[in-house]
């Protein structure tokens, strides 16, 4: 377990996963073992969304890839690169067409092995500032490598009636719960405010969209995404790809508190 600290803020990281962000004694991150989700954060890469309808086959310029929901990155282990008092950097590497065991097999998926036709390196950097935690992702690989990226943190809820404020609307928890497993789309948005017992301001660079998901009243996943895969009229999953032109490509998430 790595600990970052600055002033009255403490960040807890377990093998690259954000498992705690405490500011002034207030925990902002959903805790493992609490109802709702078995994790506290993860990444969706190189695919966001379901692949079952496509028989787990995703079309790429280098041929078919076998992917389960939200991609294979989560099946790889993070390697720590650098840890200081207020900064931690982790990395995952993948070699093209390496077969990776699917942790969902056989109970939740018929595919035992997953693979992707491209090399990639994925870096995750945590940096703690006063009243702000900044998480930066660097994606690198061959030119024209296709990918989608989503960050999937879960926030602990305290209030009975928390709300989410976006560019043009206020979203209630019952609205998010009603959407279910598909997650509520928040398009063309780079900043969200979670109004709970304490406010959380989440600002992003590079993603462009959010989706909101929970199935319980005690946590909420506020997920920056490059592509929302569940929209009505959506065609082939590969149409949501963006491509590396000058690697590495950076994506940033800032979590700011008022504690």
């Amino acid at each position: 377990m790595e600990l970052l600290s600055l002033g009255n803020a403490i960040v807890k990281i377990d093998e690259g996963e954000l498992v705690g962000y405490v500011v002034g004694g207030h925990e902002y991150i959903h805790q493992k073992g609490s109802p709702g989700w078995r994790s506290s954060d993860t990444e969706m890469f190189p695919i966001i969304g379901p692949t079952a309808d496509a028989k787990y086959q995703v079309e790429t310029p280098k041929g078919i890839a076998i992917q389960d929901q939200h991609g294979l990155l989560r099946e790889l282990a993070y390697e720590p690169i650098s840890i200081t008092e207020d900064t931690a950097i982790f990395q995952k590497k993948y070699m093209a067409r390496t077969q990776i065991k699917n942790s969902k097999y056989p109970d939740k998926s018929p595919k035992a092995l997953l693979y992707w036709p491209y090399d990639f390196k994925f870096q995750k950097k945590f940096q703690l500032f006063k009243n702000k935690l900044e998480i930066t992702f660097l994606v690198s690989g061959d030119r024209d490598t296709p990918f989608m990226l989503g960050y999937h943190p879960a926030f602990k809820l305290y209030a009975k009636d928390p709300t989410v404020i976006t560019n043009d609307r206020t979203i209630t928890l019952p609205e998010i719960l009603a959407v279910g497993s598909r997650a509520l789309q928040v398009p063309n948005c780079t900043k969200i405010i979670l109004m709970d017992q304490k406010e959380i301001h989440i600002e992003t660079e590079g993603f462009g969209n959010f989706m909101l998901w929970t199935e319980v009243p005690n946590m909420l996943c506020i997920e920056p995404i490059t592509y929302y895969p569940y929209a009505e009229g959506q065609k082939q999953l590969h149409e949501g790809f963006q491509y590396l032109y000058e690697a590495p490509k950076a994506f940033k998430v800032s979590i700011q508190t008022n504690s």
Side-chain angles (χ1 to χ4, degrees), residues 190-241:
T190 61
K191 180 178 180 179
I192 271 181
I193 302 173
L194 172 60
M195 302 294 292
D196 190 45
Q197 191 180 84
K198 295 182 180 289
E199 290 183 22
I200 306 173
H201 292 243
I202 301 168
E203 296 189 46
T204 68
E205 296 177 20
F207 291 92
N209 310 275
F210 285 91
M211 60 185 183
L212 308 174
W213 173 78
T214 189
E215 296 180 357
V216 294
N218 60 280
M219 64 153 239
L220 176 62
C221 293
I222 301 176
E223 308 171 38
I225 52 174
T226 59
Y227 174 70
Y228 180 76
Y230 304 103
E232 290 184 14
Q234 213 83 278
K235 296 181 181 178
Q236 300 297 317
L237 193 59
H238 68 267
E239 294 179 6
F241 283 140

Side-chain angles (χ1 to χ4, degrees), residues 2-258:
E2 283 77 32
L3 296 178
L4 310 182
S5 63
L6 181 66
N8 67 344
I10 298 173
V11 170
K12 298 179 182 179
I13 306 166
D14 184 11
E15 298 181 343
E17 182 180 7
L18 177 64
V19 296
Y21 181 30
V22 178
V23 184
H26 184 90
E27 175 63 79
Y28 287 90
I29 300 300
H30 167 71
Q31 298 297 287
K32 293 183 178 184
S34 298
W37 189 37
R38 60 183 174 85
S39 300
S40 55
D41 93 341
T42 192
E43 291 77 49
M44 299 172 281
F45 181 91
I47 290 292
I48 299 172
T51 55
D53 288 347
K55 299 181 180 179
Y56 303 91
Q57 299 183 20
V58 179
E59 183 180 336
T60 79
K62 288 188 176 180
I64 295 297
I66 302 300
Q67 295 285 294
D68 213 317
Q69 180 161 328
H70 296 325
L72 58 67
L73 184 74
R74 61 184 60 193
E75 303 292 358
L76 308 177
Y78 272 116
E79 174 189 358
I81 301 299
S82 173
I83 310 290
T84 66
E85 186 175 350
D86 59 9
T87 304
I89 302 174
F90 299 86
Q91 184 172 278
K92 296 182 179 185
K93 289 183 179 180
Y94 177 78
M95 185 178 296
R97 298 192 179 277
T98 300
Q99 294 189 330
I100 303 297
K101 289 184 178 180
N102 184 7
S103 60
K104 294 185 177 182
Y105 175 84
D107 295 338
K108 296 182 179 180
S109 173
K111 295 295 181 182
L113 299 172
L114 311 173
Y115 66 84
W116 190 242
Y118 299 84
D119 296 338
F120 65 75
K121 184 168 68 175
F122 190 94
Q123 194 175 93
K124 183 179 187 180
K125 177 183 178 182
F126 298 92
Q127 188 166 6
L128 187 56
F129 299 90
K130 183 180 180 181
N131 291 339
K132 182 175 74 171
L133 173 62
E134 196 169 87
I135 304 164
T136 303
F137 303 99
L138 289 178
V139 179
S140 57
D142 296 335
R143 184 179 175 87
D144 295 330
T145 294
F147 70 95
M148 308 169 198
L149 174 61
Y151 179 45
H152 193 307
F155 296 94
K156 185 174 182 178
L157 297 179
Y158 294 83
K160 291 183 179 180
D161 54 352
T163 57
V164 173
I165 300 174
T166 72
N167 301 334
D168 56 2
R169 63 185 289 204
T170 297
I171 303 169
T172 66
L173 187 61
E175 288 179 83
I176 300 168
L177 287 164
V179 178
S181 61
R182 288 168 59 88
L184 179 68
Q185 181 184 19
V186 184
N188 304 315
C189 182
T190 61
K191 180 178 180 179
I192 271 181
I193 302 173
L194 172 60
M195 302 294 292
D196 190 45
Q197 191 180 84
K198 295 182 180 289
E199 290 183 22
I200 306 173
H201 292 243
I202 301 168
E203 296 189 46
T204 68
E205 296 177 20
F207 291 92
N209 310 275
F210 285 91
M211 60 185 183
L212 308 174
W213 173 78
T214 189
E215 296 180 357
V216 294
N218 60 280
M219 64 153 239
L220 176 62
C221 293
I222 301 176
E223 308 171 38
I225 52 174
T226 59
Y227 174 70
Y228 180 76
Y230 304 103
E232 290 184 14
Q234 213 83 278
K235 296 181 181 178
Q236 300 297 317
L237 193 59
H238 68 267
E239 294 179 6
F241 283 140
Q242 57 179 267
Y243 296 85
L244 283 178
Y245 293 106
E246 294 182 5
K249 189 164 187 178
F251 300 82
K252 189 174 293 185
V253 179
S254 171
I255 303 171
Q256 188 163 351
T257 71
N258 63 347

